[in-house]
Amino acid sequence: MGSSPIRRYLNPTPLAVGLAMSCNAFPALADEAPDPVSHHLKTDNSTEQTDTKNSASLANGKGKGPKTIKQANGTEVEQWTVVASPMNTLRSSIGFSRMQDDVLHTPQTINVVPQILMQQQNVKSLDEALKNVPGITASVGEGEGGMSGDQFLIRGFAAQNDIYENGLRDFGVYTRDSFDYDHITVIKGPSSQVFGNGTTGGAINITTKTPYAGNHVNASFSGGSGSYYRGTLDINRKITDTIAVRLTAMGNENNVVGRDYIYSHRWGIAPSIIFGLGKKLNYTLEYFHQTDNRIPDYGVPVATKPGTAYGKPMTEYGINRNNWYGTTFDQDNTSTDMLTGRLQWEINKYVTFYNDTRGGLYSRYYSASQEACGLATCVIPYFSSNPASAVISRNGGLGGPNPYQQDDWSVQNVASAVANFNTGKIRHQIIGGIDIEHIYDRRRNYAYASTRPGTSLMYPSMYVPGLSLCGAGSCANNLTNMPNGVGKKEWKKGDATDVGAFLSEQVWFVPWFSVKAGFRWDHWDSHYNATGGDPAYADTHLGQTQDTFNPNVSLMYTPNDHAMVYFNWSESTTPLGLYVANSSEPLTPKNQNFSPERARLYELGAKYSAFHDRIGFTASIFRLEKGNSLLTDPSTGSVSSSGDTQRNQGIELSVSGQILKNWNMIATYARYDSLTTGGTAADIGKQVQYVPRNQATVWSTYEIAPKKVYNLLVGGGLTWREGVFLDTANTARVPANVEFDAVISHHFDDHWKVSMNGYNLANRLNYGNLFSNRVTPSIGRAFLFNLSASY
């Protein structure tokens, strides 16, 4: 299914890459990795073709070269073993039915964070994993109501509603733990033809751990800096020949090195079961629960020192990086539940049917203090002879943000079919289906009995004597005054329904050249209501209905199974009311009729999997254009359309795999050239906010004496992001990020492993989460010990 003609000729069954190296170089993965696969290539005069160019002996002596076996009927069959590196991400699957091929044969820039990389780095969250992907920036969130949670930008464009699990959207606003992740795929560029509305900069797809044919238990414990304690469990059991179950679980408690009072206490569980394992008809059922009690961190303010051209984080002017400007009332308590069912039915050799369904329940109590460094009370006093007199505000814009209780639910069903057939010598693959989703958001706003006073910029205090929180429905005059005439309302409710139909066809005119074209049509219907609260303001009832059409065309040259050159053109649409669960106020009386944000991508790229799939190389050049850019006001949280047109163009490079025996590496580099090209006159020619000019990551490990008693794995890496502007006017800038991390580990045997990770070894002041008037300092120097057992 979905393979190119060359792969179909070479491999009568879908390609299963043998991870022999992972068993030799990484014993802990031996129980999870499949056995090396021997592919039989016919050498007689039948229509099957042989891979004569790649039948040389395997590099580094791993595995066996080809050998000829005479069968009982006298036919000679050449047998050889394909050995790949688990670091070579080109052979990774995308992870869901609408994108059938692996990364190598998908005509788009795709970054993968593989399981082995997450294990070596002891990744604990989605945010940590995505540090390995260039072009991704974490955002703090907007003002009124607050966002926090996982809010990402891809190539500088918002992707807060573009996080998926196994191809289905995850609507929740929470910080995602990685305990149930198999691997993560970041698909760069507009992808509305596949995912629906959104995906201006790209999409993040998480492939979860699901049952397989085998018995396995893995347990680990981590502890270290910042009172970090973490335990995980992963159990897989094959119940019958066609039924298997899997259970993953996590408990985590930690503070944050380099930040006062910040902590997270969370736990999660994710059981799953598959019926029809290995059969043409199978059904996988997954449940996910995560509870998190954490302190939100809005970081430190950005201010402009008198006489300078750009604003900078106040920590660049001597403010202690540990300073936290919240109060004892601040908290972010989330509970997330998702139930997912995925059906796959191979009707015949031509057609396979899929039906994926997800229901989600999201509950959240959120209370945060948004700091602001005013000119008269903060900036001027700090840069005077008496800096200790500087006072910072904690109320944000228009008297907020104030606490709220959020309760959401969502449902999505994607029914699709994939057809593979030939018309004469021309091969076709058609993918089509229907995607229906609905999201409902309800928030109840609370108010403080009095305005929160400011606190010292240099020596903040979280204690506010006399401050109290009003009960539900009380203190209406102190509710957050929402902008655009909405006013001080107690209840905010939003909902949206999207009905989409998608269709694409890939045609191989010859085995080495194909064209893929498709489109998706969506009918988007969203509503927003603000009611109750201060009777001085009328209730607000708004709605928006839009029909969108997003095409995609790709040209692909595949001279063999290991290489592809492609050109891709695609579009995406983002209606203003898309971020129902994320935005505090997606629609207002002024913006409900704004045109949607539009994005268009032109991309030329090449991918090559070399040395018997040991190393993968990718290169791409692209131009991404966006019109009617959506903006979020840093103080009020109001979402609006700026009318600006922006473009980001550049080059992305990557290499991943086994460089030499026992030496593995994954490295990426991105060079971006971004500009505002139209709209607001003062912003034309300015660099797009949050987009760095250069960004790179590298992670490399070397294993000494594998399988010996004195074995040792050593490695480390670098993540670098050049400084970026924080606003469209380019008046505020955050310095570059440079982080050095390292790992050392030892296997006692094939089951037990001990490791030590070091993070930010230079203890550099970096900034992880960005917003236009504030940034959050990243973790300081930290060490984490891990002990794991695998049976």
Side-chain angles (χ1 to χ4, degrees):
M1 301 295 296
S3 59
S4 71
I6 291 178
R7 281 186 292 150
R8 178 169 59 87
Y9 293 140
L10 291 179
N11 306 314
T13 60
L15 177 64
V17 178
L19 301 182
M21 193 203 70
S22 68
C23 297
N24 293 326
F26 306 99
L29 296 178
D31 293 335
E32 296 184 2
D35 293 331
V37 178
S38 297
H39 295 286
H40 299 271
L41 304 180
K42 291 189 177 183
T43 57
D44 56 15
N45 294 324
S46 69
T47 58
E48 296 284 351
Q49 300 180 5
T50 60
D51 188 3
T52 57
K53 289 189 292 185
N54 295 306
S55 61
S57 59
L58 301 176
N60 301 323
K62 289 282 186 179
K64 297 181 179 180
K67 62 180 181 179
T68 301
I69 298 177
K70 181 171 289 188
Q71 301 188 99
N73 61 4
T75 303
E76 288 187 351
V77 176
E78 185 181 79
Q79 183 187 54
W80 56 292
T81 303
V82 176
V83 182
S85 165
M87 280 286 193
N88 181 2
T89 60
L90 288 182
R91 292 302 186 183
S92 299
S93 66
I94 305 299
F96 58 98
S97 60
R98 284 162 288 158
M99 300 187 76
Q100 287 280 298
D101 276 319
D102 58 13
V103 172
L104 174 60
H105 294 89
T106 302
Q108 215 161 334
T109 298
I110 297 175
N111 297 108
V112 178
V113 184
Q115 174 67 206
I116 189 172
L117 180 62
M118 290 192 285
Q119 288 185 355
Q120 290 178 357
Q121 295 180 345
N122 201 356
V123 165
K124 301 163 287 296
S125 66
L126 176 60
D127 180 46
E128 287 185 19
L130 292 179
K131 289 197 304 181
N132 295 285
V133 179
I136 288 193
T137 305
S139 171
V140 174
E142 98 288 6
E144 191 280 309
M147 254 191 218
S148 198
D150 289 330
Q151 307 295 327
F152 300 106
L153 303 110
I154 303 177
R155 290 176 172 170
F157 302 131
Q160 63 259 44
N161 206 46
D162 300 323
I163 300 175
Y164 298 80
E165 282 194 3
N166 304 313
L168 295 173
R169 203 184 297 263
D170 181 356
F171 291 94
V173 182
Y174 62 103
T175 300
R176 293 161 175 82
D177 195 282
S178 59
F179 74 97
D180 193 39
Y181 293 178
D182 182 81
H183 65 276
I184 302 167
T185 307
V186 180
I187 303 158
K188 299 284 187 66
S191 304
S192 287
Q193 189 272 323
V194 175
F195 295 101
N197 289 321
T199 67
T200 300
I204 300 165
N205 185 65
I206 299 159
T207 301
T208 58
K209 297 176 180 178
T210 52
Y212 59 93
N215 296 322
H216 176 255
V217 177
N218 181 276
S220 71
F221 170 79
S222 296
S225 304
S227 301
Y228 216 120
Y229 304 101
R230 178 181 176 86
T232 63
L233 182 66
D234 183 359
I235 303 174
N236 191 90
R237 282 292 179 267
K238 184 178 179 182
I239 306 301
T240 68
D241 288 342
T242 60
I243 300 175
V245 298
R246 191 167 186 174
L247 172 69
T248 61
M250 165 277 303
N252 190 103
E253 180 175 318
N254 69 276
N255 299 332
V256 176
V257 176
R259 298 293 293 154
D260 289 341
Y261 309 117
I262 304 301
Y263 66 78
S264 171
H265 300 162
R266 62 185 185 268
W267 67 274
I269 188 169
S272 56
I273 184 171
I274 183 171
F275 302 94
L277 180 67
K279 300 297 183 180
K280 293 184 178 181
L281 177 62
N282 60 77
Y283 188 75
T284 302
L285 189 64
E286 303 172 69
Y287 171 71
F288 172 86
H289 174 83
Q290 179 181 308
T291 293
D292 192 0
N293 176 14
R294 66 172 54 237
I295 297 296
D297 189 1
Y298 268 45
V300 297
V302 172
T304 303
K305 180 180 178 180
T308 61
Y310 300 113
K312 294 182 180 180
M314 292 301 288
T315 42
E316 297 297 309
Y317 298 117
I319 292 298
N320 192 329
R321 64 171 295 162
N322 292 273
N323 281 7
W324 179 68
Y325 298 99
T327 74
T328 55
F329 289 88
D330 290 6
Q331 55 185 301
D332 184 5
N333 298 337
T334 62
S335 179
T336 301
D337 295 271
M338 292 188 292
L339 183 64
T340 304
R342 293 185 287 140
L343 172 73
Q344 178 179 337
W345 178 22
E346 187 178 339
I347 300 174
N348 52 47
K349 65 179 182 179
Y350 303 108
V351 179
T352 301
F353 175 77
Y354 301 88
N355 194 82
D356 302 332
T357 307
R358 169 171 295 154
L361 295 174
Y362 309 96
S363 177
R364 185 188 198 200
Y365 177 78
Y366 190 80
S367 176
S369 301
Q370 178 185 317
E371 72 277 1
C373 189
L375 180 63
T377 59
C378 180
V379 176
I380 292 177
Y382 181 72
F383 292 107
S384 69
S385 59
N386 186 21
S389 65
V391 175
I392 194 168
S393 168
R394 295 192 274 212
N395 287 295
L398 300 177
N402 279 348
Y404 65 86
Q405 173 66 42
Q406 180 180 14
D407 294 287
D408 294 2
W409 63 270
S410 67
V411 62
Q412 182 180 13
N413 188 87
V414 182
S416 61
V418 180
N420 289 276
F421 59 93
N422 295 341
T423 55
K425 294 184 178 181
I426 298 178
R427 184 190 168 210
H428 305 260
Q429 181 181 81
I430 296 178
I431 302 175
I434 302 292
D435 181 357
I436 302 174
E437 62 185 52
H438 180 81
I439 173 72
Y440 173 80
D441 172 75
R442 182 185 67 178
R443 300 191 188 196
R444 186 169 199 170
N445 294 323
Y446 296 85
Y448 291 102
S450 59
T451 299
R452 282 166 288 180
T455 188
S456 170
L457 173 66
M458 295 183 65
Y459 311 107
S461 173
M462 63 189 297
Y463 301 101
V464 186
L467 185 66
S468 62
L469 187 65
C470 298
S474 302
C475 304
N477 289 333
N478 291 338
L479 289 168
T480 296
N481 186 12
M482 291 177 280
N484 300 304
V486 176
K488 301 177 179 181
K489 312 307 293 182
E490 179 183 0
W491 291 96
K492 295 191 298 182
K493 300 177 183 179
D495 68 84
T497 302
D498 185 20
V499 178
F502 54 91
L503 180 68
S504 67
E505 180 176 11
Q506 186 170 356
V507 180
W508 285 264
F509 297 98
V510 290
W512 46 266
F513 178 74
S514 63
V515 176
K516 183 175 183 179
F519 69 90
R520 173 164 170 148
W521 168 84
D522 285 271
H523 177 73
W524 181 260
D525 186 9
S526 61
H527 305 89
Y528 172 72
N529 304 279
T531 59
D534 192 339
Y537 298 90
D539 291 346
T540 298
H541 302 279
L542 303 171
Q544 184 186 71
T545 300
Q546 290 188 345
D547 292 284
T548 61
F549 181 83
N550 293 288
N552 179 294
V553 177
S554 300
L555 310 178
M556 289 163 280
Y557 168 63
T558 52
N560 54 53
D561 187 43
H562 301 279
M564 182 175 74
V565 179
Y566 66 90
F567 172 78
N568 178 37
W569 171 79
S570 58
E571 292 189 348
S572 71
T573 306
T574 304
L576 191 62
L578 181 63
Y579 307 120
V580 174
N582 304 66
S583 293
S584 61
E585 190 178 352
L587 297 175
T588 70
K590 294 183 179 180
N591 71 21
Q592 64 173 326
N593 296 317
F594 283 167
S595 298
E597 185 178 83
R598 296 285 300 176
R600 180 178 294 110
L601 173 72
Y602 306 90
E603 181 173 303
L604 178 66
K607 305 179 184 183
Y608 180 51
S609 185
F611 308 114
H612 300 285
D613 289 327
R614 292 186 185 278
I615 306 177
F617 300 92
T618 70
S620 65
I621 56 175
F622 72 92
R623 182 183 178 96
L624 177 58
E625 301 171 340
K626 184 174 74 166
N628 297 322
S629 299
L630 299 180
L631 296 178
T632 301
D633 187 280
S635 297
T636 67
S638 176
V639 181
S640 63
S641 176
S642 68
D644 288 352
T645 58
Q646 300 172 330
R647 69 116 171 100
N648 187 16
Q649 61 188 17
I651 181 172
E652 295 198 13
L653 308 171
S654 73
V655 57
S656 61
Q658 186 183 41
I659 307 302
L660 294 173
K661 185 178 181 181
N662 302 329
W663 179 21
N664 290 270
M665 184 178 74
I666 182 168
T668 63
Y669 170 73
R671 166 70 180 182
Y672 297 137
D673 175 25
S674 64
L675 287 177
T676 296
T677 56
T680 306
D683 295 340
I684 295 176
K686 302 292 180 66
Q687 189 172 328
V688 177
Q689 65 184 137
Y690 309 126
V691 180
R693 290 197 180 276
N694 292 281
Q695 193 168 2
T697 68
V698 62
W699 179 263
S700 180
T701 59
Y702 186 82
E703 190 164 21
I704 303 169
K707 306 298 288 185
K708 302 293 185 180
V709 175
Y710 48 88
N711 71 87
L712 198 67
L713 182 141
V714 294
L718 164 73
T719 58
W720 168 57
R721 183 194 68 213
E722 196 173 2
V724 300
F725 287 105
L726 298 174
D727 60 342
T728 57
N730 290 181
T731 61
R733 185 175 174 86
V734 67
N737 271 9
V738 181
E739 180 177 331
F740 296 94
D741 301 330
V743 64
I744 182 170
S745 67
H746 169 73
H747 288 278
F748 295 105
D749 51 30
D750 287 344
H751 304 291
W752 288 87
K753 183 184 77 171
V754 61
S755 64
M756 178 71 75
N757 287 84
Y759 306 97
N760 194 12
L761 295 177
N763 201 30
R764 180 183 169 90
L765 177 55
N766 293 318
Y767 300 96
N769 296 320
L770 310 179
F771 206 63
S772 56
N773 63 352
R774 58 191 183 273
V775 296
T776 304
S778 298
I779 186 174
R781 183 189 294 117
F783 297 93
L784 197 60
F785 164 86
N786 178 265
L787 177 65
S788 63
S790 180
Y791 286 90

